[in-house]
Amino acid sequence: MDRWNADDAVRLLDTEACTHMAGATPFLRQVLTAARHANTRVPSLKVFVCGGASVPPSLIREAAAYFEGAVVTRVYGSTEVPVTTVGSTDAVHGADTDGRAGIAEIKLVDHNAATAGEGEILVRGPQMLVGYLHPEDDTESFDSQGYFEREISRGGWTTRTWS
């Protein structure tokens, strides 16, 4: 497919018997809508991993119910450390959490900009970028142990911060 088209994607998922798909929230929403219009539940689909944008739990539940044979789950990561978490295979945690740490090491620390119960999420792993194009950008992005440190947990939610 030269350009994204949900109808074409569903046709390909069906004709090629695709088992796995990953995409951001808009892609999951569009594939779900296109599958309904095409009257297919994409029986070959086993896993749809959704991340890259805010993922409403209701969308995960709706897609998991429609794609009966598939695990539909959320994941968390960033450009710098993709796939920080891997999604849960159970429906409750797959919709309501971003999963568990995968191959990434995650460390939670206090942060001077955070209030009580909040902190910074530091991440490192083999999938992490080596560094930015401009070395001066690395100075504020990594701690002394090589953890990427531009993410804050606020009230249990992960948010990105930029200096």
Side-chain angles (χ1 to χ4, degrees):
M1 171 180 345
D2 291 331
R3 186 176 189 152
W4 172 252
N5 178 292
D7 295 325
D8 290 345
V10 167
R11 231 177 343 274
L12 283 169
L13 286 166
D14 265 344
T15 60
E16 299 298 325
C18 295
T19 58
H20 291 67
M21 184 171 177
T25 303
F27 295 94
L28 176 55
R29 167 60 60 207
Q30 292 169 17
V31 165
L32 179 58
T33 299
R36 284 183 171 140
H37 287 142
N39 199 28
T40 179
R41 292 187 182 261
V42 191
S44 62
L45 188 64
K46 302 297 177 218
V47 176
F48 193 114
V49 176
C50 192
S54 179
V55 184
S58 59
L59 176 59
I60 297 297
R61 287 186 191 95
E62 182 182 358
Y66 187 80
F67 299 121
E68 296 167 335
V71 170
V72 182
T73 190
R74 295 169 18 169
V75 295
Y76 173 77
S78 63
T79 300
E80 293 85 357
V81 191
V83 193
T84 297
T85 66
V86 291
S88 177
T89 58
D90 84 71
V92 172
H93 291 102
D96 293 324
T97 74
D98 288 338
R100 300 178 183 201
I103 58 173
E105 296 175 59
I106 300 173
K107 177 168 74 167
L108 306 175
V109 298
D110 290 332
H111 189 277
N112 60 5
T115 59
E118 300 176 352
E120 189 169 16
I121 300 170
L122 281 63
V123 182
R124 72 178 178 190
Q127 77 278 31
M128 185 170 72
L129 82 161
V130 175
Y132 290 106
L133 176 63
H134 304 289
E136 62 273 15
D137 293 335
D138 293 343
T139 305
E140 294 181 7
S141 300
F142 301 95
D143 74 359
S144 63
Q145 297 175 317
Y147 282 85
F148 180 70
E149 58 175 345
R150 283 194 174 171
E151 300 168 11
I152 302 261
S153 172
R154 293 201 170 108
W157 294 96
T158 302
T159 56
R160 304 270 299 155
T161 61
W162 299 101
S163 47

